[in-house]
Amino acid sequence: MPLAVYPEEAIRSHRAFIARRRELRPSKECRSPSDTEWEEFLGHFERRRVALGDCGRAYGTNCIHEHDPA
């Protein structure tokens, strides 16, 4: 696997850029999601996987959607 090597100055500049951008954002955007918001976020991906032929089942268990004609 190839390894990318970046000069320390490039890394410091990027981190400084990110820090400046975060200072410009309203603090409301940098909060932790509520339990309800997080469950809704995860639920979106579970519904998406079901639509694509997968589901949010536990690893190693049978999929109830596997042979569903709908």
Side-chain angles (χ1 to χ4, degrees), residues 13-29:
S13 295
H14 180 71
R15 288 181 177 162
F17 169 77
I18 297 297
R20 287 191 305 273
R21 293 288 295 171
R22 284 185 178 148
E23 288 175 5
L24 296 175
R25 285 186 181 158
S27 61
K28 180 180 174 186
E29 289 184 13

Side-chain angles (χ1 to χ4, degrees), residues 3-53:
L3 177 67
V5 179
Y6 296 99
E8 284 295 318
E9 184 180 341
I11 294 169
R12 278 194 305 275
S13 295
H14 180 71
R15 288 181 177 162
F17 169 77
I18 297 297
R20 287 191 305 273
R21 293 288 295 171
R22 284 185 178 148
E23 288 175 5
L24 296 175
R25 285 186 181 158
S27 61
K28 180 180 174 186
E29 289 184 13
C30 297
R31 64 176 179 76
S32 297
S34 69
D35 290 341
T36 303
E37 290 169 326
W38 187 245
E39 288 301 319
E40 181 180 323
F41 175 78
L42 293 177
H44 164 79
F45 291 101
E46 286 186 19
R47 288 188 300 278
R48 178 82 175 137
R49 284 193 302 257
V50 169
L52 295 174

